[in-house]
Structure formats: structure tokens, C-alpha cells
């Protein structure tokens, strides 16, 4: 006997939620009801359902953010997701569909329309091809089956989750046809660079998975990034390449400068630790991917923890309260010293080498409470000024003129950049201590 399809419903209005649960249960579905977006994400990750229905407006986390997070998670990216919306919220519906929802239902809804849409999406999900139609690579079902098989055999392998950065801006400016070319280019680079015997799958959109059976996944990451960073430039217009960025709006409607498409790669291995199932391994991959995306440009994060290592997250837990700090510094040594100093303070770090790269990070994390930025000229201050002074600025300067300009603009501290990282760290510690003593 086939088990009933599981539907996870997120609705904060009790009467609406209970009615939905009653209607769906009467048709034989196994229905679970949660009250907010945060609970929806956690429940879906713990035990992925067959279909999700989420209200747009909910406490703690709204439906749009919940869907965005679930689309970025290998365990839930493939699930059909429907949003509930009130009459007259057409703009929110469009935003929901662009965020990743498959369909929408308007409240008050018609019972038969609701059930027809649920049946349609469940039927379509059950008929998904084993290969991604855009690239011809194995799709999400085949990927999960292969990971499960490797875990059951208890072999040594690395799960590599590859994702594009700044892809939405590229699509918005150049159109979907060129966006598809970017995805094909990434698929081609991955196929060329992986070792014989490695498994390559395409989850969907710009998300790919590699199962690498060699002993050096870091070298593979470096090869992929080097080749991709070189070839992706061929898809840009020459004027945009010369300028170094595209002009587009982020998902909050804020105009920004987006740099050249880059890669974020998360690497989870069975070399030092074991995993009970695909969900457990995917959870670590999602955590690493979030950490990789907090660094501008192509980057990778490798989980080097062992079974005996405490499993504290690399980034703040969802729902945590770690404040964001944006670092903008061209000097690699100085940037490393700043990162080390702020890490100890418990900040979640957004790390960029230029103002353009920082714009891409702000598109996803628009409200840092602290900016530590290298000030070269007046334009260097414009990025911080776009935040409407909602963040404290610690300015890194090279000369007296920029120091005076930063102080006049409202920087809470000015630090001189020299050749001694220890001196820089000491100056930053002093500035942070003074900042902490400021009244709220």
C-alpha cells in the first residue's frame, strides 16, 4: 500500500490553518501544521515533505524567506512549494514566484481549486525526470540516491555543493537565454575538471553536486574556480567587463553594483567523520554554503571536523543573533588580521576586497551593524553612506587627508593601515572596546 503524500502547511492564523488541515486530510493526505516560517524551515529540513504550502505573512520568518532558504538547501530544493496570499497582494505574489514558489492560492480559496492545484503539483513532482532537462545531468532524485548508496557502502568521498553568485543580476541584465549559457558553461567546466569515476549531478537552477572520490577535494575546488573565473568573462559584454560590474536591483529593490559571476563551493567529506543519512550530510553542506557565500568572489569551504569534534556551526544558526559585520579591504594580510579579530568578537563576517564586491554581499545581508572599510577616497565612503549611517564605521586609512574625510563623515574610529598586522589588530581591538562602551 502506497503511503499518503505528506503536506507541510505553514499558517499563523489558527482557523485558516485548521481548515486547510481538515480539507487536505479529508482527501487522504498526511498533513502537518506549523505556525511560522522558522518552524516551517526546521520541520522541512528534519523530514522533507512531498509538498509545502506557506502563508506569505507570518511571524519570526515570512513565507518568502522560508521558501528562499528551502530552495537553497539540497534536502528541500526540489520540493513543490505553494504560497497563500490575500486578495490584492499581486506584487507579493510576483515576489514569491521569483523567490522560488511554484504556484499560489488566493484567500479565501475555493476548496476544489485548492485540491486540484495540490494534486497537479504532486503529480508533476512524481513524474520529474531522473535527468535535469537543461544540462542532461542526473537530477535531484538520482543525486540523493547516489549519496545514500555511497553512505551505505561506507566509502570515503567528498560531497561538493557548487553554486553561482551574482547569477540573478546576470539574468536580469542579459536575459534568461544568456543565463542558461552560464549554467551550461559551469556544467562544462565541472565535467572537464572532475576525476574519472566522480559523480556529477544538477539539482536545478544554478546548483550542482559532485561526489568526488579522490583524496584532495581542495585541489579540485581550486581547479574548478580557476577555469570558471577565466571562462565566465566570455559571457559578458566588453563594456561591462571594463567597468567590472553590472547595474541591477537586489531582491529588496535596492540598486546595486554586482561583480562578475563567481562560485561558492561547500565540501563535506567522510574522511574524518561519518554521517547517518543524506539529510545529515546535506545539513552540513548547507551550513558550509552559507559560510562560502559570505566571502566575495569565488571561494570554497571545507568541513574539517571529525566525529570527535564538537559540531558547533561555522556560521550563526538560523534564528541566532550574531550581528553582521562587513569588511572591505584590498590588502590580503590586513584583511586576515581584521577577520581574526572580529571572529573572536562573535560577528558573522561579510568579507570583500572592493566596494563592488561588498555590494553583492549587501544584496543578501543588507543590514550590517558594523562596517570596517578601507577608505581611499570619497567614493570609498559612499558604500557606508548608502546604509544611512545605520551601521558604525571603522575607517582604515593610509594618509591624513582620508583620515580627516572619514572622521568628518562620521566614522566612529580611524585606524592607520601599516605593514604590521599585530598593530592593526591592537588598533581594531581598541576601537571595538570604545564602540562597545557607547550608549545605545
Amino acid at each position: 500500500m502506497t503511503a499518503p503524500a505528506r503536506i507541510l502547511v505553514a499558517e499563523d492564523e489558527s482557523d485558516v490553518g485548521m481548515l486547510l488541515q481538515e480539507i487536505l486530510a479529508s482527501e487522504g493526505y498526511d498533513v502537518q501544521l506549523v505556525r511560522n516560517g522558522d518552524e516551517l524551515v526546521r520541520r522541512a529540513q528534519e523530514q522533507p515533505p512531498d509538498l509545502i504550502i506557506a502563508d506569505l505573512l507570518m511571524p519570526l520568518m515570512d513565507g518568502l524567506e522560508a521558501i528562499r532558504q528551502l530552495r537553497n538547501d539540497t534536502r528541500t530544493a526540489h520540493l513543490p512549494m505553494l504560497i497563500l496570499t490575500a486578495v490584492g497582494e499581486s506584487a507579493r505574489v510576483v515576489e514569491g514566484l521569483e523567490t522560488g514558489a511554484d504556484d499560489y492560492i488566493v484567500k479565501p480559496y475555493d476548496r476544489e481549486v485548492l485540491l486540484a492545484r495540490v494534486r497537479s503539483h504532486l503529480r508533476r513532482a512524481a513524474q520529474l525526470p531522473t535527468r535535469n532537462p537543461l544540462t542532461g545531468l542526473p537530477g535531484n532524485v538520482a543525486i540523493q540516491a547516489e549519496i545514500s548508496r555511497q553512505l551505505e557502502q561506507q566509502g570515503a568521498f567528498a560531497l561538493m555543493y557548487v553554486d553561482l553568485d551574482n547569477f540573478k543580476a546576470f539574468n536580469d541584465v542579459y536575459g534568461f537565454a544568456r543565463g542558461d549559457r552560464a549554467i551550461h558553461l559551469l556544467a562544462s567546466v565541472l565535467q572537464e575538471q572532475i576525476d574519472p569515476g566522480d559523480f556529477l549531478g544538477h539539482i536545478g537552477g544554478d546548483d550542482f553536486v559532485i561526489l568526488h572520490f579522490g583524496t584532495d577535494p581542495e585541489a579540485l575546488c581550486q581547479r574548478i574556480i580557476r577555469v570558471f573565473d577565466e571562462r565566465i568573462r566570455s559571457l559578458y559584454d566588453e563594456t561591462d567587463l571594463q567597468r567590472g560590474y553590472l547595474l541591477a536591483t537586489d531582491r529588496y529593490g535596492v540598486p546595486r553594483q554586482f561583480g562578475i559571476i563567481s562560485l561558492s563551493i561547500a565540501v563535506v567529506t567522510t574522511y574524518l567523520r561519518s554521517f547517518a543519512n543524506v539529510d545529515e550530510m546535506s545539513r552540513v553542506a548547507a551550513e558550509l554554503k552559507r559560510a562560502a557565500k559570505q566571502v566575495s568572489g569565488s571561494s570554497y569551504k571545507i568541513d574539517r571536523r571529525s566525529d570527535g569534534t564538537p559540531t558547533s556551526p561555522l556560521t550563526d544558526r538560523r534564528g541566532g543573533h550574531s550581528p553582521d559585520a562587513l569588511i572591505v579591504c584590498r590588502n590580503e594580510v590586513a584583511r586576515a588580521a581584521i577577520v581574526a579579530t572580529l571572529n573572536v568578537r562573535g560577528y558573522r563576517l561579510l568579507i570583500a576586497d572592493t566596494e563592488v564586491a561588498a555590494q553583492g554581499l549587501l544584496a543578501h545581508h543588507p543590514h550590517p551593524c558594523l562596517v570596517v572599510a578601507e577608505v581611499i577616497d570619497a567614493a570609498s565612503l559612499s558604500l557606508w553612506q548608502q546604509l544611512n549611517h545605520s551601521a558604525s564605521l571603522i575607517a582604515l586609512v593610509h594618509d591624513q587627508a582620508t583620515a580627516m574625510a572619514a572622521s568628518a563623515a562620521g566614522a566612529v574610529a580611524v585606524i592607520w593601515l601599516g605593514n604590521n598586522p599585530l598593530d592593526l589588530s591592537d588598533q581594531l581591538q581598541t576601537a571595538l572596546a570604545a564602540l562597545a562602551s557607547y550608549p545605545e
Side-chain angles (χ1 to χ4, degrees), residues 264-338:
S264 290
I265 307 178
V267 184
V268 187
T269 79
T270 61
Y271 304 156
L272 300 175
R273 62 189 296 190
S274 56
F275 296 91
N277 49 48
V278 176
D279 286 350
E280 186 179 332
M281 200 169 196
S282 297
R283 185 164 52 250
V284 177
E287 171 195 334
L288 290 159
K289 177 188 165 185
R290 289 195 297 273
K293 281 188 168 293
Q294 288 163 212
V295 181
S296 65
S298 291
S299 64
Y300 58 89
K301 292 288 184 180
I302 301 177
D303 182 33
R304 304 185 189 277
R305 293 168 292 185
S306 65
D307 281 331
T309 304
T311 55
S312 56
L314 303 177
T315 58
D316 63 311
R317 294 188 183 277
R318 187 174 287 110
H321 301 288
S322 296
D324 287 349
L326 174 64
I327 301 169
V328 188
C329 183
R330 289 161 177 76
N331 184 283
E332 188 174 344
V333 174
R335 195 166 62 244
I338 297 165

Side-chain angles (χ1 to χ4, degrees), residues 325-331 335 338 350-359 361-362 371-375 380 383 394 396 417:
L326 174 64
I327 301 169
V328 188
C329 183
R330 289 161 177 76
N331 184 283
R335 195 166 62 244
I338 297 165
L350 311 173
I351 306 168
D353 56 352
T354 67
E355 286 81 11
V356 171
Q359 290 272 11
L361 296 175
L362 288 172
V371 175
V372 181
E374 185 176 2
V375 178
S380 304
L383 181 72
I394 296 177
L396 310 172
L417 277 174

Side-chain angles (χ1 to χ4, degrees), residues 106-369:
V106 178
K107 297 186 289 186
Y109 47 81
D110 180 278
R111 182 181 189 277
E112 295 308 316
V113 171
L114 166 67
L115 291 173
R117 289 188 171 179
V118 167
R119 286 194 294 267
S120 173
H121 285 284
L122 285 172
R123 183 169 58 249
R124 187 175 295 115
Q127 295 171 350
L128 283 176
T130 57
R131 291 191 173 269
N132 185 279
L134 179 60
T135 59
L137 293 170
N140 194 70
V141 174
I143 292 169
Q144 298 224 10
E146 182 62 21
I147 298 173
S148 293
R149 188 172 74 86
Q150 295 298 330
L151 289 175
E152 288 172 3
Q153 293 179 350
Q154 298 182 346
F157 70 97
L159 168 63
M160 303 174 62
Y161 189 176
V162 185
D163 181 37
L164 293 176
D165 306 319
N166 295 332
F167 182 63
K168 181 182 182 300
F170 182 90
N171 248 351
D172 290 345
V173 172
Y174 290 133
F176 291 105
R178 206 182 300 192
D180 286 349
R181 288 173 61 192
I183 292 174
H184 275 290
L185 185 149
L186 175 56
S188 175
V189 169
L190 296 178
Q191 287 173 312
E192 291 174 12
Q193 298 303 317
I194 60 176
D195 293 346
D198 284 354
F199 174 92
L200 174 62
H202 185 183
I203 296 174
D206 58 332
D207 294 330
F208 292 80
V209 162
I210 298 168
L211 298 190
H212 175 60
F213 301 101
T215 58
D216 194 355
E218 185 165 12
L220 177 56
C221 288
Q222 293 168 349
R223 292 202 307 270
I224 290 170
I225 286 173
R226 183 177 64 253
V227 175
F228 178 83
D229 283 353
E230 178 182 324
R231 292 189 189 172
I232 191 60
R233 298 176 65 84
S234 67
L235 298 186
Y236 281 80
D237 292 350
E238 186 59 32
T239 53
D240 295 326
L241 280 179
Q242 293 297 324
R243 186 174 53 192
Y245 60 84
L246 297 177
L247 290 171
T249 57
D250 66 18
R251 60 194 178 96
Y252 301 99
V254 178
R256 294 198 183 279
Q257 300 169 352
F258 290 87
I260 306 300
I261 286 179
S262 56
L263 295 180
S264 290
I265 307 178
V267 184
V268 187
T269 79
T270 61
Y271 304 156
L272 300 175
R273 62 189 296 190
S274 56
F275 296 91
N277 49 48
V278 176
D279 286 350
E280 186 179 332
M281 200 169 196
S282 297
R283 185 164 52 250
V284 177
E287 171 195 334
L288 290 159
K289 177 188 165 185
R290 289 195 297 273
K293 281 188 168 293
Q294 288 163 212
V295 181
S296 65
S298 291
S299 64
Y300 58 89
K301 292 288 184 180
I302 301 177
D303 182 33
R304 304 185 189 277
R305 293 168 292 185
S306 65
D307 281 331
T309 304
T311 55
S312 56
L314 303 177
T315 58
D316 63 311
R317 294 188 183 277
R318 187 174 287 110
H321 301 288
S322 296
D324 287 349
L326 174 64
I327 301 169
V328 188
C329 183
R330 289 161 177 76
N331 184 283
E332 188 174 344
V333 174
R335 195 166 62 244
I338 297 165
V339 168
T341 304
L342 292 181
N343 259 330
V344 175
R345 293 273 179 158
Y347 288 98
R348 182 174 70 167
L349 304 183
L350 311 173
I351 306 168
D353 56 352
T354 67
E355 286 81 11
V356 171
Q359 290 272 11
L361 296 175
L362 288 172
H364 299 281
H365 307 278
H367 304 298
C369 71

